[in-house]
Amino acid sequence: MGLQLYNKKRNFKKTPEPSGKAGKSKSELSFVVQRHKASRLHYDFRLELDGVLKSWAVPKGPSLNPGDKRLAMMVEDHPFDYKDFAGIIPEGNYGAGIVEIWDKGYFSDLDNSEKTVAEKKLKAGLKAGNLKFRLYGKKLKGEFVLVKLKGNDDNAWLLIKHKDEYAVKESYSSEENTPKNSPINKWLAAKKSGKIPVKKTAKKKIQSTADDTSFPVKKGGSKYLPAATKKLNDYVKPMLAKETDKPFNDKNWVYEIKWDGYRAIADINGTEVSLYSRNGNTFNASYPIVVNALKQLNIHAILDGEIVVMEENGKANFQLLQHYGSDSNYSIQFCVFDVLSINGQNTCDLPLVDRKKLLKKLLSVEHDVIKYSEHIEEEGVAFFEAARKSDLEGIMAKQADSQYYPGARTSEWLKVKLHKTTEAIIAGFTEPTGSRKHFGALVLGIMDKGKLEYIGHTGSGFSTAGLTNMNKLMKPLIQKKSPFAEKVKTNMPVTWIKPVLVCEIKYTEWTKEGRLRHPIFLRLRSDKKADQVNLKALKPVKKPVKGAMSSRKADLLAPKPVKLVKTVAKKGSTAKKTAHAEKIPVKTAQNKNDKTITFGKIKVNVSNFDKVFWPEEGITKGDVINYYISISKYILPYLKDRPESLKRNPNGIKDFGFFHKDAGNQAPEWVKSKPIFSESTNKDVDYILCNNQPTLTYLNNLGCIEINPWHSTIQALDHPDYLIVDIDPSDENTFDQVIETANVVHDVFKQAGVESYCKTSGATGLHIYVPAQKKYTYDQLKDFSHLICILVQEQLPAFTTLERNLKKRGNKMIYLDHLQNRRGQTISSVYSLRPKEGATVSMPVKWKEVKPGLSPMDFTIYNSLKRIERNTELFSPVLGKGIDLEKCLKLLNKQGVLAEY
């Protein structure tokens, strides 16, 4: 970077900081960590390289716990002499506040090389975005790494401690390792006690009212934000969030519901209200109920929130919002989560939690339309799981002390979606097939350098009304010429339209060709313009350069068959074990890590064959595919003609994964599927049927580590083939307790004259099956299973329960789950792998094996094939002759078991 930016930001006549000059230490490379109290307290981490201090701002400070991945934002280079700077930067200067030295010393590469050699290695690591080094400080010792986050424009890195003799397992706080009498702590204490006078400003007055129950609300004032970060003409642009893949827990963050509606800014001046979208499009005429409700507040403020329409179950429904004018029977709400201005005073530079306190007081009166959007602190993972169970769009994670930056997209606000989504431009539609009306699929594009690029097409996600409405919108836009610069190949003839409509698409990933994999239509985005939907804004994977050709072109165009028998070494063992026993002809595809597996006339393309799914064990996606190929003839009878709920873990077991039910529409022609009407979504869901080996491999390629079939087949969807009791332990139950419970279930079934069959779940529980042979409905089997569970719980009241709610039952009770016996419920199939440590398999066991000493870890990808081959008929009775429920109940009644029921 050099020191030009450092010098430009500072006036050295007004700040005591050293002027920007290069320098270097005589023997060892220096490092320093400075604790800096500016507008917010943070830590500055600086390493000497090339005569300057390469610098990162670390909000939480370094940690000695390898489990902590501390965000480190790279800032401008600082001069060498800055390593010794401590003092006060006067108000009005860049970085105004107080600086103290928290730790300092010297550092080297991991090999402790001589200085010139070490510096050369370190510079190479910095350039590569993977800087590994060893620190010799008073507090920070041992190995660390700075890792640059890929594709991030904000120079975001992660500072991580390596596992070595200086690493700690307990939580680590830089603040707790700061002396109480440090200069900053003394200054803060003096300021708090009033010994340092604080200039009273309007900002401070508002800040002090966050805990004041008599907060005054006045009328009047200027219409737009005063002293905003940029000059505003007609409207305020909302602050935007970046996206992150996984939820997290952090005591310095708060978490909110990610509402499924239209983002809106409400500029309220008494009874004058302007309600508009993020791009300044007015909502006043579209949602007059919201506007009138805002007028009734009779306040002067600028609010940020989301307009949503709520279903009867309390879930936001975007489609209802889009058609609210034609169907206003549902409840419309404005869920407000931030306040930008109150009484003409800017609140943007207050911490988020203080803004929300003010907002809650501002909206203290209960209202049917205007709602305060609540939040929780710290527990992001649990909140995300609650959102998943409620089928919400996702959650928002926000730093508790974050300021509000109008129009900016920052990493201080993060959105964690349950599904990947993107905006796309509708460029045309294909002809419908079968009984479908209006159109078959939408042809999708995205702007790239002024040209419309094809990214795929989708026919999924439409209700009958949705097809009709979309057809009405597209008809006036029909044109003869394709809007694409390239020639687009589709399966059916295309009608092109003017590319002005924008929609939101759910998808699984971007392919290397720049196509959406498994796109599903979610909604139209009337708040977005087509020119805003471009690669630069959405940042999908980089598209390959057209015409580029690798040096291995000949190899790629003429691949040679190879034998695929991958070996995997079991952890802790020196012996290698094969994950499967068959040799499958495989061809290398365009990417050297892609494969084509041939099954007769069917060819299955497999991507990222060597991608690691189990980091600790080194087990890959290819090993998963090979395992299922080896056991396919044993597992397929339990999958045939059963709708599959795809549990996908495309990034391996460390990924939360997701369920994907409506998957048949995008599958190859040779994959069978069955549309089944879903009452919850009010549309057909196209379920895949896994009837053969190629389909099983196709599912594995999608990231299906485990296989989850329905309990019934398409021939009798309402009549399952078996009944299930799922023995589901909590965190503090032992597996011996699970075994004891299973044996009691077995005994109670015997009392009813029923033979039951047991398998491990592959995780922490056991599954007990009883054949039903399509004789009874789900409800009949569910009721019988419930009765059995009641009888079992009576015998084991100390550690079993019928309470489904996790919080109510606590972490010491085994849940006897009879609710698995419902239409559409799925459970991991027999012989299925599970995305758990050790690559465990759901395995049938003999009842004489269900005794103390049995462990789910007994059956894994390494040894399961041999066991299955030795016990091929162990589980087959589950698909055999079914029970007679009437006889079972009579037998229980005869024994006096049902006397109380």
Side-chain angles (χ1 to χ4, degrees):
M1 289 184 182
L3 297 173
Q4 294 88 347
L5 184 57
Y6 172 88
N7 290 329
K8 185 178 180 181
K9 288 183 174 182
R10 289 161 178 82
N11 183 342
F12 296 105
K13 293 180 180 180
K14 296 182 178 180
T15 178
E17 298 168 281
S19 59
K21 293 181 181 179
K24 60 181 179 180
S25 55
K26 293 182 179 179
S27 55
E28 306 288 352
L29 294 168
S30 297
F31 89 91
V32 65
V33 179
Q34 287 157 321
R35 188 167 175 248
H36 187 180
K37 176 62 179 79
S39 57
R40 280 174 289 174
L41 183 67
H42 66 278
Y43 291 75
D44 293 312
F45 184 82
R46 311 190 195 279
L47 300 175
E48 176 195 349
L49 284 175
D50 264 351
V52 298
L53 297 179
K54 297 293 180 181
S55 300
W56 290 262
V58 185
K60 294 184 182 179
S63 173
L64 291 176
N65 187 328
D68 293 335
K69 295 177 174 60
R70 295 290 164 83
L71 180 67
M73 302 300 295
M74 195 172 192
V75 297
E76 73 273 13
D77 294 342
H78 281 52
F80 176 74
D81 289 343
Y82 210 100
K83 64 183 177 64
D84 300 314
F85 174 72
I88 295 176
I89 303 173
E91 193 170 346
N93 288 274
Y94 178 80
I98 184 170
V99 177
E100 66 185 20
I101 293 176
W102 185 81
D103 195 18
K104 66 186 301 185
Y106 66 95
F107 76 106
S108 184
D109 64 327
L110 297 186
D111 298 320
N112 285 319
S113 307
E114 180 264 332
K115 181 184 175 184
T116 55
V117 176
E119 190 168 13
K120 185 176 181 180
K121 290 182 180 179
L122 293 164
K123 285 163 61 178
L126 179 68
K127 185 176 181 180
N130 188 11
L131 177 57
K132 298 175 182 178
F133 49 92
R134 189 186 298 274
L135 295 179
Y136 299 86
K138 293 181 179 180
K139 297 176 182 175
L140 301 181
K141 301 177 185 291
E143 296 180 6
F144 289 78
V145 63
L146 275 163
V147 182
K148 191 177 190 306
L149 296 178
K150 294 181 179 179
N152 201 298
D153 293 334
D154 292 336
N155 289 323
W157 297 61
L158 294 177
L159 177 62
I160 308 169
K161 180 77 180 77
H162 278 175
K163 293 180 180 179
D164 59 20
E165 65 270 30
Y166 300 107
V168 300
K169 293 183 179 180
E170 63 273 12
S171 61
Y172 186 91
S173 168
S174 299
E175 283 299 280
E176 292 175 1
N177 287 273
T178 300
K180 292 183 179 180
N181 62 346
S182 76
I184 289 178
N185 288 350
K186 284 183 177 179
W187 183 82
L188 290 173
K191 182 178 178 181
K192 186 175 181 180
S193 67
K195 293 180 181 179
I196 298 176
V198 179
K199 183 180 179 181
K200 294 183 178 180
T201 63
K203 169 186 168 183
K204 294 298 178 184
K205 183 178 180 181
I206 287 181
Q207 194 166 3
S208 67
T209 61
D211 297 310
D212 181 4
T213 57
S214 60
F215 173 67
V217 179
K218 301 178 182 179
K219 300 180 183 180
S222 58
K223 185 177 181 182
Y224 295 110
L225 273 175
T229 54
K230 58 189 286 188
K231 185 178 180 180
L232 301 171
N233 295 319
D234 300 314
Y235 61 94
V236 179
K237 292 184 177 180
M239 180 172 169
L240 303 176
K242 293 190 174 180
E243 190 167 344
T244 188
D245 293 334
K246 296 180 180 179
F248 56 91
N249 293 336
D250 195 309
K251 63 182 180 181
N252 298 314
W253 289 66
V254 299
Y255 304 90
E256 303 170 345
I257 291 174
K258 187 179 188 302
W259 296 106
D260 192 10
Y262 281 133
R263 183 78 174 274
I265 297 291
D267 190 341
I268 312 164
N269 189 358
T271 57
E272 293 181 16
V273 172
S274 177
L275 183 68
Y276 50 82
S277 74
R278 55 194 287 180
N279 294 318
N281 298 322
T282 180
F283 282 147
N284 283 43
S286 302
Y287 306 112
I289 294 176
V290 176
V291 173
N292 290 333
L294 290 168
K295 289 179 180 179
Q296 292 171 16
L297 296 177
N298 200 23
I299 62 175
H300 175 76
I302 298 181
L303 309 179
D304 187 1
E306 193 105 356
I307 301 172
V308 298
V309 166
M310 308 300 287
E311 295 177 333
E312 292 178 358
N313 59 8
K315 179 185 172 185
N317 187 312
F318 191 86
Q319 277 75 24
L320 291 176
L321 176 63
Q322 285 189 306
H323 305 113
Y324 191 74
S326 58
D327 184 2
S328 56
N329 293 322
Y330 292 90
S331 170
I332 191 168
Q333 295 177 0
F334 183 39
C335 298
V336 188
F337 44 73
D338 218 325
V339 56
L340 286 61
S341 174
I342 299 176
N343 301 333
Q345 297 179 27
N346 188 350
T347 59
C348 290
D349 50 0
L350 297 182
L352 172 64
V353 289
D354 285 350
R355 296 199 307 274
K356 294 206 73 170
K357 286 178 183 177
L358 294 173
L359 177 61
K360 194 167 187 177
K361 289 181 172 64
L362 203 62
L363 305 179
S364 58
V365 179
E366 186 68 23
H367 201 288
D368 292 337
V369 177
I370 311 302
K371 300 289 186 180
Y372 171 74
S373 186
E374 298 281 359
H375 66 269
I376 67 163
E377 300 174 355
E378 189 174 348
E379 301 295 331
V381 175
F383 192 54
F384 185 78
E385 286 306 308
R388 185 197 300 278
K389 290 178 181 178
S390 300
D391 196 25
L392 301 179
E393 188 181 0
I395 67 172
M396 299 296 300
K398 299 178 180 180
Q399 282 191 13
D401 63 349
S402 60
Q403 297 180 15
Y404 193 102
Y405 304 104
R409 189 182 297 277
T410 82
S411 54
E412 293 182 5
W413 285 15
L414 299 172
K415 50 189 173 184
V416 194
K417 295 181 179 180
L418 283 164
H419 306 286
K420 293 181 181 177
T421 63
T422 186
E423 280 82 42
I425 301 167
I426 302 173
F429 56 91
T430 63
E431 291 184 5
T433 58
S435 60
R436 186 158 178 158
K437 296 181 179 180
H438 303 304
F439 63 88
L442 300 180
V443 182
L444 306 173
I446 196 170
M447 296 302 296
D448 184 16
K449 298 178 181 178
K451 294 182 179 180
L452 188 65
E453 295 285 338
Y454 174 68
I455 59 171
H457 59 276
T458 180
S460 299
F462 295 98
S463 62
T464 302
L467 289 169
T468 302
N469 292 331
M470 182 63 71
N471 186 53
K472 289 179 181 178
L473 289 172
M474 292 192 295
K475 270 192 172 182
L477 302 173
I478 291 175
Q479 62 183 28
K480 291 184 178 180
K481 187 178 179 181
S482 168
F484 293 107
E486 59 186 311
K487 187 175 181 180
V488 175
K489 294 181 180 180
T490 56
N491 297 328
M492 297 295 293
V494 179
T495 300
W496 303 111
I497 67 171
K498 188 178 179 181
V500 294
L501 297 177
V502 175
C503 63
E504 187 173 358
I505 297 294
K506 179 172 71 175
Y507 67 99
T508 56
E509 63 179 340
W510 286 88
T511 69
K512 62 182 183 298
E513 293 85 10
R515 304 285 190 263
L516 292 175
R517 190 184 295 277
H518 308 307
I520 298 173
F521 176 86
L522 289 180
R523 69 205 66 174
L524 276 173
R525 291 299 301 263
S526 57
D527 59 329
K528 286 284 187 82
K529 296 180 180 179
D531 58 4
Q532 295 175 308
V533 183
N534 56 71
L535 283 173
K536 185 177 180 181
L538 299 180
K539 297 182 181 177
V541 295
K542 291 183 179 179
K543 300 184 76 174
V545 180
K546 293 182 179 180
M549 191 173 294
S550 73
S551 59
R552 298 183 62 203
K553 177 181 176 182
D555 292 336
L556 297 175
L557 294 178
K560 298 177 182 179
V562 298
K563 292 181 179 179
L564 180 65
V565 185
K566 188 169 179 81
T567 58
V568 182
K570 187 171 182 179
K571 192 175 181 182
S573 171
T574 56
K576 289 186 176 181
K577 299 187 179 183
T578 57
H580 65 93
E582 298 183 33
K583 295 180 180 180
I584 307 298
V586 176
K587 286 188 177 183
T588 304
Q590 287 287 318
N591 186 324
K592 65 179 181 180
N593 197 21
D594 294 350
K595 310 289 181 183
T596 299
I597 303 179
T598 302
F599 302 94
K601 294 182 180 180
I602 298 176
K603 295 181 179 181
V604 183
N605 296 321
V606 177
S607 62
N608 300 311
F609 194 84
D610 295 326
K611 187 172 186 177
V612 175
F613 273 10
W614 279 263
E616 293 294 324
E617 295 87 348
I619 298 171
T620 65
K621 181 179 183 179
D623 295 321
V624 172
I625 290 171
N626 291 338
Y627 168 77
Y628 278 109
I629 288 174
S630 72
I631 60 105
S632 61
K633 64 182 178 182
Y634 304 113
I635 194 175
L636 284 172
Y638 302 95
L639 307 180
K640 183 175 173 59
D641 289 337
R642 299 181 191 278
E644 293 289 334
S645 290
L646 310 187
K647 171 64 164 54
R648 298 176 59 181
N649 295 81
N651 294 313
I653 68 167
K654 298 299 183 182
D655 178 22
F656 283 102
F658 58 94
F659 273 97
H660 184 187
K661 296 179 181 180
D662 199 359
N665 186 270
Q666 301 297 323
E669 292 181 358
W670 43 265
V671 172
K672 291 185 177 181
S673 62
K674 174 70 175 178
I676 301 173
F677 182 76
S678 169
E679 291 184 358
S680 62
T681 60
N682 196 33
K683 71 181 184 70
D684 283 345
V685 175
D686 202 13
Y687 285 91
I688 284 179
L689 307 176
C690 187
N691 290 357
N692 52 42
Q693 195 177 65
T695 302
L696 186 54
T697 300
Y698 170 74
L699 297 184
N700 299 152
N701 181 52
L702 294 179
C704 295
I705 294 174
E706 67 182 37
I707 307 299
N708 293 277
W710 276 34
H711 310 327
S712 54
T713 64
I714 56 174
Q715 288 82 12
L717 285 171
D718 294 315
H719 294 77
D721 291 280
Y722 37 75
L723 169 155
I724 297 176
V725 174
D726 180 7
I727 302 174
D728 184 11
S730 298
D731 292 341
E732 294 192 17
N733 291 118
T734 66
F735 199 67
D736 282 351
Q737 289 176 319
V738 173
I739 290 169
E740 183 179 354
T741 304
N743 280 302
V744 174
V745 173
H746 180 226
D747 292 342
V748 173
F749 272 130
K750 271 192 170 182
Q751 285 183 278
V754 171
E755 188 61 54
S756 57
Y757 303 87
C758 184
K759 73 178 180 72
T760 65
S761 69
T764 57
L766 290 172
H767 299 155
I768 299 175
Y769 283 58
V770 171
Q773 205 180 19
K774 298 182 173 64
K775 294 180 181 179
Y776 305 102
T777 65
Y778 275 104
D779 284 342
Q780 288 171 318
L781 292 181
K782 181 183 68 176
D783 291 343
F784 181 55
S785 176
H786 189 200
L787 174 62
I788 297 297
C789 289
I790 291 172
L791 297 174
V792 172
Q793 199 274 331
E794 285 182 344
Q795 295 189 42
L796 299 171
F799 57 83
T800 66
T801 181
L802 300 177
E803 176 57 61
R804 185 176 179 84
N805 187 287
L806 285 168
K807 288 186 177 180
K808 290 182 180 179
R809 77 173 187 244
N811 60 358
K812 296 181 180 180
M813 304 296 283
I814 292 174
Y815 173 47
L816 300 172
D817 187 359
H818 69 286
L819 295 176
Q820 287 290 346
N821 303 286
R822 293 183 295 177
R823 189 179 193 265
Q825 289 291 110
T826 61
I827 206 166
S828 56
S829 171
V830 63
Y831 310 135
S832 171
L833 271 170
R834 299 300 304 278
K836 307 292 181 182
E837 291 184 7
T840 52
V841 170
S842 179
M843 184 66 68
V845 288
K846 301 172 184 176
W847 278 112
K848 65 181 181 181
E849 295 177 297
V850 186
K851 60 184 181 181
L854 177 69
S855 168
M857 295 299 295
D858 292 342
F859 315 110
T860 69
I861 192 173
Y862 304 109
N863 60 17
S864 289
L865 176 61
K866 288 184 178 180
R867 178 182 169 87
I868 295 169
E869 289 175 335
R870 290 197 304 265
N871 301 277
T872 55
E873 301 301 318
L874 184 57
F875 206 64
S876 59
V878 166
L879 299 180
K881 185 179 178 180
I883 59 172
D884 186 324
L885 267 183
E886 188 174 353
K887 286 184 178 180
C888 293
L889 294 172
K890 284 182 178 179
L891 188 57
L892 289 174
N893 189 49
K894 185 177 180 180
Q895 299 174 58
V897 175
L898 301 183
E900 297 183 13
Y901 306 99

